[in-house]
Amino acid sequence: MTDWRLQGQEKYLQGAALERKAYQPYRPEWEHDHCEFCSAEFSLDTPGALREGYTTSDHYRWVCAVCYEDFQEMLGLRRG
Ligand SMILES: [Zn+2]
């Protein structure tokens, strides 16, 4: 079964260690990010945006809790 959210993320997220954290921008001047899978917005400024999620140790990639649960097994995601 193909999920619309899968767009080749397995190339860089296969077996990735993701840590659950409060959202923080990759660079100070960035104000938001999007879930690697469903594009849900992470932001501290936007009303209704996600305030926490699963992220790589450098805070470059962000995955929402729903997608983490959905793709954890398929991609072999680990807790960072
Ligand atoms: Zn998502």
Side-chain angles (χ1 to χ4, degrees):
M1 190 192 94
T2 306
D3 191 297
W4 66 271
R5 293 171 293 179
L6 283 172
Q7 305 284 343
Q9 295 93 336
E10 69 277 8
K11 295 190 187 81
Y12 55 83
L13 283 178
Q14 185 77 52
L18 299 176
E19 193 172 352
R20 183 159 195 150
K21 280 189 183 172
Y23 175 66
Q24 49 189 292
Y26 176 61
R27 294 174 195 270
E29 66 269 27
W30 289 10
E31 58 180 22
H32 73 278
D33 272 291
H34 292 278
C35 172
E36 293 291 331
F37 295 96
C38 71
S39 294
E41 184 173 347
F42 289 91
S43 174
L44 298 177
D45 302 325
T46 307
L50 299 171
R51 297 282 194 270
E52 65 169 25
Y54 291 85
T55 184
T56 48
S57 57
D58 58 4
H59 304 136
Y60 187 62
R61 311 272 186 197
W62 287 87
V63 176
C64 78
V66 173
C67 293
Y68 183 86
E69 291 299 323
D70 288 353
F71 298 113
Q72 179 179 25
E73 203 170 328
M74 185 189 298
L75 298 184
L77 303 177
R78 296 173 292 120
R79 295 300 286 261

mmCIF file of all heavy atoms in Angstrom, residues 2 12 16-18 21-22 28 30 32 34-37 39 41-43 46-47 52 60 63 66 77-78:
data_model
loop_
_atom_site.group_PDB
_atom_site.id
_atom_site.type_symbol
_atom_site.label_atom_id
_atom_site.label_comp_id
_atom_site.label_asym_id
_atom_site.label_seq_id
_atom_site.Cartn_x
_atom_site.Cartn_y
_atom_site.Cartn_z
ATOM 1 N N THR A 2 0.541 2.195 -0.835
ATOM 2 C CA THR A 2 1.310 3.431 -0.892
ATOM 3 C C THR A 2 0.560 4.531 -0.154
ATOM 4 O O THR A 2 -0.622 4.731 -0.368
ATOM 5 C CB THR A 2 1.528 3.873 -2.348
ATOM 6 O OG1 THR A 2 2.121 2.791 -3.057
ATOM 7 C CG2 THR A 2 2.455 5.059 -2.404
ATOM 8 N N TYR A 12 16.455 9.336 3.564
ATOM 9 C CA TYR A 12 17.220 10.031 4.609
ATOM 10 C C TYR A 12 16.708 9.786 6.024
ATOM 11 O O TYR A 12 17.342 10.198 6.980
ATOM 12 C CB TYR A 12 17.294 11.541 4.317
ATOM 13 C CG TYR A 12 15.960 12.229 4.129
ATOM 14 C CD1 TYR A 12 15.234 12.651 5.226
ATOM 15 C CD2 TYR A 12 15.457 12.461 2.857
ATOM 16 C CE1 TYR A 12 14.016 13.289 5.062
ATOM 17 C CE2 TYR A 12 14.243 13.093 2.682
ATOM 18 C CZ TYR A 12 13.523 13.504 3.792
ATOM 19 O OH TYR A 12 12.316 14.135 3.624
ATOM 20 N N ALA A 16 16.494 6.356 11.268
ATOM 21 C CA ALA A 16 16.901 7.589 11.956
ATOM 22 C C ALA A 16 16.532 7.538 13.431
ATOM 23 O O ALA A 16 15.549 6.910 13.827
ATOM 24 C CB ALA A 16 16.240 8.795 11.300
ATOM 25 N N ALA A 17 17.324 8.204 14.235
ATOM 26 C CA ALA A 17 17.018 8.358 15.656
ATOM 27 C C ALA A 17 16.318 9.693 15.830
ATOM 28 O O ALA A 17 16.857 10.737 15.486
ATOM 29 C CB ALA A 17 18.301 8.325 16.470
ATOM 30 N N LEU A 18 15.093 9.646 16.301
ATOM 31 C CA LEU A 18 14.308 10.865 16.463
ATOM 32 C C LEU A 18 13.935 11.037 17.927
ATOM 33 O O LEU A 18 13.471 10.111 18.582
ATOM 34 C CB LEU A 18 13.040 10.807 15.607
ATOM 35 C CG LEU A 18 13.260 10.687 14.092
ATOM 36 C CD1 LEU A 18 11.924 10.536 13.387
ATOM 37 C CD2 LEU A 18 14.013 11.891 13.550
ATOM 38 N N LYS A 21 10.737 16.340 21.221
ATOM 39 C CA LYS A 21 11.177 17.621 21.784
ATOM 40 C C LYS A 21 10.161 18.707 21.502
ATOM 41 O O LYS A 21 9.382 18.613 20.551
ATOM 42 C CB LYS A 21 12.489 18.073 21.127
ATOM 43 C CG LYS A 21 13.729 17.409 21.664
ATOM 44 C CD LYS A 21 14.945 18.102 21.091
ATOM 45 C CE LYS A 21 16.225 17.412 21.561
ATOM 46 N NZ LYS A 21 17.410 17.958 20.863
ATOM 47 N N ALA A 22 10.235 19.761 22.305
ATOM 48 C CA ALA A 22 9.486 20.968 21.994
ATOM 49 C C ALA A 22 10.105 21.564 20.742
ATOM 50 O O ALA A 22 11.327 21.502 20.565
ATOM 51 C CB ALA A 22 9.573 21.957 23.142
ATOM 52 N N PRO A 28 18.019 30.294 14.034
ATOM 53 C CA PRO A 28 17.257 31.291 14.808
ATOM 54 C C PRO A 28 16.328 32.133 13.950
ATOM 55 O O PRO A 28 15.262 32.538 14.405
ATOM 56 C CB PRO A 28 18.350 32.166 15.431
ATOM 57 C CG PRO A 28 19.566 31.313 15.436
ATOM 58 C CD PRO A 28 19.454 30.393 14.255
ATOM 59 N N TRP A 30 14.716 31.210 11.315
ATOM 60 C CA TRP A 30 13.581 30.450 10.777
ATOM 61 C C TRP A 30 12.479 30.439 11.805
ATOM 62 O O TRP A 30 12.708 30.255 12.991
ATOM 63 C CB TRP A 30 13.995 28.996 10.487
ATOM 64 C CG TRP A 30 14.915 28.845 9.320
ATOM 65 C CD1 TRP A 30 15.547 29.833 8.629
ATOM 66 C CD2 TRP A 30 15.324 27.602 8.712
ATOM 67 N NE1 TRP A 30 16.316 29.280 7.638
ATOM 68 C CE2 TRP A 30 16.206 27.937 7.658
ATOM 69 C CE3 TRP A 30 15.012 26.263 8.965
ATOM 70 C CZ2 TRP A 30 16.781 26.949 6.855
ATOM 71 C CZ3 TRP A 30 15.590 25.291 8.172
ATOM 72 C CH2 TRP A 30 16.468 25.638 7.112
ATOM 73 N N HIS A 32 9.435 28.627 11.268
ATOM 74 C CA HIS A 32 8.627 27.419 11.258
ATOM 75 C C HIS A 32 9.265 26.324 10.405
ATOM 76 O O HIS A 32 10.184 26.578 9.636
ATOM 77 C CB HIS A 32 7.212 27.705 10.770
ATOM 78 C CG HIS A 32 7.125 27.963 9.296
ATOM 79 N ND1 HIS A 32 7.388 29.172 8.728
ATOM 80 C CD2 HIS A 32 6.812 27.123 8.268
ATOM 81 C CE1 HIS A 32 7.248 29.094 7.420
ATOM 82 N NE2 HIS A 32 6.900 27.859 7.100
ATOM 83 N N HIS A 34 8.066 22.148 8.660
ATOM 84 C CA HIS A 34 6.922 21.305 8.333
ATOM 85 C C HIS A 34 7.276 19.850 8.601
ATOM 86 O O HIS A 34 8.433 19.440 8.441
ATOM 87 C CB HIS A 34 6.531 21.479 6.861
ATOM 88 C CG HIS A 34 5.972 22.827 6.572
ATOM 89 N ND1 HIS A 34 4.664 23.165 6.823
ATOM 90 C CD2 HIS A 34 6.557 23.947 6.094
ATOM 91 C CE1 HIS A 34 4.467 24.433 6.492
ATOM 92 N NE2 HIS A 34 5.595 24.931 6.051
ATOM 93 N N CYS A 35 6.264 19.079 8.972
ATOM 94 C CA CYS A 35 6.450 17.648 9.145
ATOM 95 C C CYS A 35 7.004 17.058 7.845
ATOM 96 O O CYS A 35 6.529 17.397 6.758
ATOM 97 C CB CYS A 35 5.119 16.991 9.504
ATOM 98 S SG CYS A 35 5.189 15.185 9.513
ATOM 99 N N GLU A 36 7.994 16.198 7.977
ATOM 100 C CA GLU A 36 8.626 15.596 6.794
ATOM 101 C C GLU A 36 7.629 14.778 5.970
ATOM 102 O O GLU A 36 7.862 14.510 4.796
ATOM 103 C CB GLU A 36 9.772 14.675 7.234
ATOM 104 C CG GLU A 36 10.943 15.410 7.857
ATOM 105 C CD GLU A 36 11.703 16.258 6.849
ATOM 106 O OE1 GLU A 36 11.714 15.911 5.656
ATOM 107 O OE2 GLU A 36 12.284 17.267 7.263
ATOM 108 N N PHE A 37 6.561 14.349 6.583
ATOM 109 C CA PHE A 37 5.610 13.486 5.885
ATOM 110 C C PHE A 37 4.329 14.209 5.469
ATOM 111 O O PHE A 37 3.977 14.207 4.301
ATOM 112 C CB PHE A 37 5.253 12.282 6.765
ATOM 113 C CG PHE A 37 6.422 11.369 7.014
ATOM 114 C CD1 PHE A 37 7.174 11.493 8.174
ATOM 115 C CD2 PHE A 37 6.778 10.402 6.085
ATOM 116 C CE1 PHE A 37 8.266 10.659 8.399
ATOM 117 C CE2 PHE A 37 7.861 9.570 6.297
ATOM 118 C CZ PHE A 37 8.612 9.698 7.465
ATOM 119 N N SER A 39 3.485 17.517 6.151
ATOM 120 C CA SER A 39 3.632 18.965 6.024
ATOM 121 C C SER A 39 2.906 19.767 7.099
ATOM 122 O O SER A 39 2.756 20.975 6.966
ATOM 123 C CB SER A 39 3.188 19.481 4.639
ATOM 124 O OG SER A 39 4.062 18.990 3.658
ATOM 125 N N GLU A 41 2.455 22.048 10.139
ATOM 126 C CA GLU A 41 3.388 23.115 10.498
ATOM 127 C C GLU A 41 3.809 23.043 11.960
ATOM 128 O O GLU A 41 3.003 22.841 12.850
ATOM 129 C CB GLU A 41 2.736 24.471 10.217
ATOM 130 C CG GLU A 41 3.680 25.636 10.471
ATOM 131 C CD GLU A 41 3.112 26.973 10.042
ATOM 132 O OE1 GLU A 41 2.098 26.992 9.325
ATOM 133 O OE2 GLU A 41 3.695 27.995 10.433
ATOM 134 N N PHE A 42 5.098 23.245 12.158
ATOM 135 C CA PHE A 42 5.659 23.421 13.500
ATOM 136 C C PHE A 42 6.035 24.880 13.627
ATOM 137 O O PHE A 42 6.734 25.421 12.772
ATOM 138 C CB PHE A 42 6.946 22.593 13.672
ATOM 139 C CG PHE A 42 6.726 21.114 13.746
ATOM 140 C CD1 PHE A 42 6.757 20.341 12.597
ATOM 141 C CD2 PHE A 42 6.497 20.503 14.964
ATOM 142 C CE1 PHE A 42 6.563 18.968 12.668
ATOM 143 C CE2 PHE A 42 6.310 19.124 15.042
ATOM 144 C CZ PHE A 42 6.331 18.360 13.892
ATOM 145 N N SER A 43 5.558 25.520 14.659
ATOM 146 C CA SER A 43 5.912 26.920 14.872
ATOM 147 C C SER A 43 5.567 27.312 16.289
ATOM 148 O O SER A 43 4.624 26.783 16.881
ATOM 149 C CB SER A 43 5.147 27.809 13.895
ATOM 150 O OG SER A 43 5.379 29.168 14.188
ATOM 151 N N THR A 46 2.762 30.598 15.148
ATOM 152 C CA THR A 46 1.494 30.427 14.446
ATOM 153 C C THR A 46 0.451 29.766 15.337
ATOM 154 O O THR A 46 0.700 28.692 15.872
ATOM 155 C CB THR A 46 1.701 29.537 13.201
ATOM 156 O OG1 THR A 46 2.756 30.084 12.422
ATOM 157 C CG2 THR A 46 0.428 29.461 12.372
ATOM 158 N N PRO A 47 -0.718 30.397 15.497
ATOM 159 C CA PRO A 47 -1.786 29.759 16.277
ATOM 160 C C PRO A 47 -2.183 28.422 15.652
ATOM 161 O O PRO A 47 -2.332 28.338 14.430
ATOM 162 C CB PRO A 47 -2.938 30.757 16.194
ATOM 163 C CG PRO A 47 -2.293 32.067 15.863
ATOM 164 C CD PRO A 47 -1.091 31.726 15.030
ATOM 165 N N GLU A 52 5.390 20.646 19.433
ATOM 166 C CA GLU A 52 6.393 19.620 19.727
ATOM 167 C C GLU A 52 6.276 18.509 18.707
ATOM 168 O O GLU A 52 5.269 18.374 18.017
ATOM 169 C CB GLU A 52 6.244 19.073 21.149
ATOM 170 C CG GLU A 52 4.951 18.319 21.381
ATOM 171 C CD GLU A 52 4.963 17.575 22.723
ATOM 172 O OE1 GLU A 52 5.679 17.978 23.644
ATOM 173 O OE2 GLU A 52 4.251 16.576 22.825
ATOM 174 N N TYR A 60 16.983 19.585 12.272
ATOM 175 C CA TYR A 60 16.743 19.919 10.864
ATOM 176 C C TYR A 60 15.476 19.265 10.342
ATOM 177 O O TYR A 60 14.738 19.852 9.561
ATOM 178 C CB TYR A 60 17.958 19.500 10.034
ATOM 179 C CG TYR A 60 17.881 19.942 8.593
ATOM 180 C CD1 TYR A 60 17.834 21.306 8.269
ATOM 181 C CD2 TYR A 60 17.860 19.008 7.560
ATOM 182 C CE1 TYR A 60 17.758 21.719 6.965
ATOM 183 C CE2 TYR A 60 17.784 19.423 6.243
ATOM 184 C CZ TYR A 60 17.733 20.773 5.944
ATOM 185 O OH TYR A 60 17.653 21.181 4.645
ATOM 186 N N VAL A 63 9.134 15.588 12.516
ATOM 187 C CA VAL A 63 8.069 14.645 12.186
ATOM 188 C C VAL A 63 6.997 14.773 13.264
ATOM 189 O O VAL A 63 7.314 14.778 14.468
ATOM 190 C CB VAL A 63 8.619 13.196 12.149
ATOM 191 C CG1 VAL A 63 7.495 12.198 11.906
ATOM 192 C CG2 VAL A 63 9.697 13.053 11.073
ATOM 193 N N VAL A 66 1.707 11.910 14.820
ATOM 194 C CA VAL A 66 0.885 10.984 14.033
ATOM 195 C C VAL A 66 1.753 10.236 13.021
ATOM 196 O O VAL A 66 1.693 9.008 12.904
ATOM 197 C CB VAL A 66 -0.256 11.735 13.319
ATOM 198 C CG1 VAL A 66 -1.009 10.805 12.369
ATOM 199 C CG2 VAL A 66 -1.211 12.334 14.330
ATOM 200 N N LEU A 77 12.339 3.678 12.563
ATOM 201 C CA LEU A 77 12.719 4.858 13.343
ATOM 202 C C LEU A 77 13.030 4.460 14.770
ATOM 203 O O LEU A 77 12.368 3.604 15.351
ATOM 204 C CB LEU A 77 11.597 5.897 13.315
ATOM 205 C CG LEU A 77 11.175 6.372 11.928
ATOM 206 C CD1 LEU A 77 10.000 7.337 12.037
ATOM 207 C CD2 LEU A 77 12.337 7.013 11.201
ATOM 208 N N ARG A 78 14.027 5.102 15.327
ATOM 209 C CA ARG A 78 14.424 4.829 16.704
ATOM 210 C C ARG A 78 14.214 6.083 17.540
ATOM 211 O O ARG A 78 14.197 7.188 17.017
ATOM 212 C CB ARG A 78 15.902 4.420 16.751
ATOM 213 C CG ARG A 78 16.181 3.128 16.013
ATOM 214 C CD ARG A 78 17.674 2.847 15.936
ATOM 215 N NE ARG A 78 18.376 3.785 15.082
ATOM 216 C CZ ARG A 78 19.364 4.597 15.484
ATOM 217 N NH1 ARG A 78 19.755 4.581 16.742
ATOM 218 N NH2 ARG A 78 19.959 5.417 14.657
#
